[in-house]
């Protein structure tokens, strides 16, 4: 299974991705987690990414693309992967397509997590308090949602045009959302 997860920050991608990846026995590649680990370790990549992350901006495409392409070249990605938080721009999606076309291993699906803005604020405010993420202050949350609308939302059409988009109603208990995803994936497979 080769899949990407789309959706605004706070849509629950990470929670679902971990379970789905385990079920499909493929690696869960969360770009935000990789960046945060690099920041925590003080690597060069972490130092480069941190100022963008703290502002709620996207890390430049060339940095993210190089990092993800390197990760996808690792042996555990041979039979599939679940990308969580990548792509976030059309340039990133095109880079991923080029790579997968070269390997003749196209994507199977792009799950699009749909959540109302009101629900997102409620969730992100809760996460901010619980995790002390420096990019979850109210002003930064607002900015991240704007960046999503401008840079990432166009990917919904990008994947719809390619017949890969699976919309997911991401409001409700985690287990219910999981069931909706598994049903939608099974329905897509059957077509
Ligand atoms: P996340 O945990 O997915 O919300 O990511 C946290 C932060 O990492 C984002 O706000 C961005 O600054 C950065 N980041 C993660 N993935 C990407 C990406 N695909 N493109 C650009 N920046 C990213």
């Amino acid at each position: 299974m080769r899949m990407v997860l789309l959706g605004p920050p706070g849509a629950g991608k990470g929670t679902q991705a971990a379970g789905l990846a385990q079920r499909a026995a493929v690696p869960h590649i969360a770009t935000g987690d990789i960046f945060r680990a690099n920041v925590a370790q003080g690597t060069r990549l972490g130092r480069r990414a941190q100022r963008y992350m703290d502002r709620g901006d996207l890390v430049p495409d060339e940095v993210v693309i190089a990092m993800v392409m390197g990760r996808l070249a690792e042996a555990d990605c041979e039979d599939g992967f679940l990308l969580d938080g990548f792509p976030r721009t059309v340039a990133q999606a095109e880079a991923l397509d080029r790579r997968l076309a070269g390997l003749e291993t196209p994507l199977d699906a792009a799950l699009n997590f749909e959540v109302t803005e009101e629900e997102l604020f409620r969730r992100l405010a809760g996460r901010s308090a619980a995790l002390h993420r420096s990019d979850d202050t109210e002003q930064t949350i607002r900015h991240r949602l704007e960046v999503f609308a401008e840079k990432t939302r166009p990917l919904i059409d990008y994947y719809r045009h390619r017949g890969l988009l699976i919309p997911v109603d991401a409001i409700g208990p985690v287990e219910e959302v999981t069931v909706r995803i598994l049903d939608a994936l099974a329905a897509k497979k059957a077509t």
Side-chain angles (χ1 to χ4, degrees):
M1 180 186 73
R2 293 179 182 80
M3 207 152 73
V4 300
L5 268 50
L6 305 176
K13 297 187 299 293
T15 307
Q16 294 295 335
L20 289 171
Q22 199 175 18
R23 224 172 244 274
V26 295
H28 168 205
I29 303 172
T31 44
D33 288 349
I34 300 176
F35 282 132
R36 278 185 290 279
N38 275 276
V39 169
Q41 287 159 18
T43 67
R44 193 164 161 256
L45 178 66
R47 284 197 300 277
R48 250 191 114 176
Q50 185 165 24
R51 58 198 160 113
Y52 298 99
M53 295 171 74
D54 283 347
R55 288 199 301 255
D57 282 326
L58 295 182
V59 176
D61 279 337
E62 68 273 15
V63 176
V64 189
I65 290 170
M67 178 180 90
V68 172
M69 296 307 140
R71 180 66 188 85
L72 292 180
E74 288 179 34
D76 63 337
C77 295
E78 232 166 68
D79 295 327
F81 53 78
L82 206 155
L83 278 168
D84 165 9
F86 181 97
R88 262 174 152 105
T89 65
V90 171
Q92 293 178 16
E94 288 172 346
L96 179 63
D97 275 353
R98 273 195 301 276
R99 175 185 187 92
L100 296 179
L103 296 170
E104 296 184 32
T105 54
L107 277 183
D108 297 306
L111 292 184
N112 182 37
F113 284 58
E114 297 176 342
V115 188
T116 58
E117 190 146 305
E118 200 183 8
E119 173 73 9
L120 286 179
F121 263 95
R122 210 180 54 75
R123 291 186 188 183
L124 287 165
R127 184 165 85 182
S128 171
L131 297 180
H132 304 291
R133 267 181 61 158
S134 58
D135 57 353
D136 271 351
T137 62
E138 184 168 341
Q139 197 191 355
T140 319
I141 292 170
R142 209 172 283 284
H143 184 58
R144 289 168 72 211
L145 292 176
E146 284 165 7
V147 169
F148 173 80
E150 184 193 338
K151 303 270 175 57
T152 310
R153 198 169 282 147
L155 292 180
I156 296 173
D157 276 340
Y158 181 96
Y159 286 116
R160 189 183 288 124
H161 285 141
R162 285 160 177 75
L164 292 172
L165 194 77
I166 299 181
V168 177
D169 171 4
I171 298 186
V174 171
E175 310 76 48
E176 271 178 36
V177 177
T178 305
V179 170
R180 285 178 210 147
I181 293 172
L182 295 175
D183 286 352
L185 286 171
K188 182 165 196 312
K189 221 174 185 176
T191 58

